[in-house]
Structure formats: structure tokens, C-alpha cells
Amino acid sequence: CCATAGVFVFFGMLYTSWDLRWLVSRVPPKSNLRAALLRLQSSLDMYRKGRTIVLFAVAMSVLSHLLHAVTLYFTSRTLFDHGPTLTDQVVLWSIAGSVAALPVSPGGLGTFDLAYSLAYKSVAPAVTVANPGTLVAFLFRVICLAVAGVGIIFYLTAGNKTRQTSRQTLSQEAVVA
């Protein structure tokens, strides 16, 4: 609910002329809140200049999450005759991904698997295996590592041009952050 409201406020601010300057003028001049609001306004101005890029990034993010859910769906269907539907997998991925984003373990290792396993049990009780969600989550990790392995092999066998491009991208991201 709050995330949905935040998305609407963000896109409302992105596609309208509304800004934070009226709020900044009401905050005391040397407060931390004023500095934070000015930084936020600066970011908003930057995003307004690249609206197409922002929309493309949002679309890529949604597509990425859907593809993760599809991967979990096919992994589950490969292992079990009866499992969660694709819609259920989207919900399971959202829950487990949110838990994995908590700063509890590096890369969400363990937290994702536990959350997915518990949520899987509630959606697919007909499966007779002891911990079906844990098995599906484990195979999902294996699939992710296999895909990453292909990327590593490409990077290691690529020429200097690809390495230089990767390093430039990483240095630009560090400057932006």
C-alpha cells in the first residue's frame, strides 16, 4: 500500500510541474531537512530530464522480477506435478525477494530460501516432499549461478575492449552513487 502510494507520488512528481521548492521555502535555512529536500529536488530535476530512461529502467525491473517468477514456476513444475500457479509464483517471488532485501545476510543467502520455503508450503500443501520450497529455492540459486557462470566466462575470454567498457561503467556508477 505504501509502496504503491510512493510510486504514484514519484511518477506524479516526475510528470507534472510540481516540485519541492514551496516546501523548501517553509523550512528553516540551516536545517538538515532543508538540505535533504534540496538534494531530493536536484534528483527530481535530473530524472525529469531523462524520463525515457527512468521508464525504461522501471520496465526492465518489472520484466526482471517477472522472469525470476517464471524461472521459479518452471523449476517447481519440473520437480512436482502439482505446484503453485504462475500468479502464485509472482507473489512468492515478491515476498521472498522482499525478505532477501533485508540486510540480514550477504546477498539474501538463506533469508530468501527460508522465506520462499515457508511461503511455498502455504501455497502448495499438496506436495508430499518434506521441504519442497527449499528444494525449489536451492535449484533457483543453482540456475542463477549457472547464468552468472556464463557471464564470468564471457568476461574472462573477452578482449580488452569489453573489460575497459565494464570498468568505465563501474567507475561511472561509483561517481553517481
Side-chain angles (χ1 to χ4, degrees):
C1 180
C2 292
T4 305
V7 168
F8 280 114
V9 168
F10 174 76
F11 279 104
M13 291 175 70
L14 187 64
Y15 283 99
T16 64
S17 61
W18 189 79
D19 61 12
L20 299 172
R21 289 181 183 91
W22 66 273
L23 186 59
V24 170
S25 65
R26 290 172 173 74
V27 176
K30 296 194 179 200
S31 72
N32 290 336
L33 178 61
R34 184 182 183 103
L37 288 172
L38 287 171
R39 283 194 310 270
L40 187 60
Q41 181 62 46
S42 165
S43 298
L44 183 61
D45 291 340
M46 182 183 66
Y47 286 134
R48 282 183 177 155
K49 291 177 187 171
R51 289 181 181 149
T52 307
I53 295 170
V54 172
L55 285 177
F56 182 72
V58 169
M60 291 294 292
S61 176
V62 169
L63 181 64
S64 172
H65 287 286
L66 289 175
L67 288 175
H68 279 95
V70 167
T71 302
L72 285 165
Y73 172 76
F74 284 127
T75 303
S76 175
R77 287 297 178 169
T78 301
L79 295 172
F80 311 113
D81 292 334
H82 303 289
T85 63
L86 183 57
T87 307
D88 291 338
Q89 288 291 359
V90 171
V91 172
L92 291 174
W93 165 253
S94 300
I95 292 169
S98 297
V99 172
L102 297 173
V104 177
S105 66
L109 292 174
T111 54
F112 171 84
D113 308 310
L114 178 65
Y116 185 81
S117 178
L118 294 173
Y120 193 96
K121 282 181 187 177
S122 67
V123 175
V127 178
T128 58
V129 177
N131 288 318
T134 305
L135 183 59
V136 173
F138 175 74
L139 286 176
F140 175 73
R141 292 283 186 188
V142 170
I143 291 168
C144 289
L145 289 173
V147 171
V150 171
I152 289 171
I153 291 170
F154 174 74
Y155 179 77
L156 292 176
T157 59
N160 286 335
K161 181 70 174 166
T162 303
R163 288 191 189 134
Q164 289 173 350
T165 304
S166 297
R167 287 186 188 123
Q168 287 174 352
T169 304
L170 289 174
S171 66
Q172 289 173 355
E173 289 174 357
V175 168
V176 170

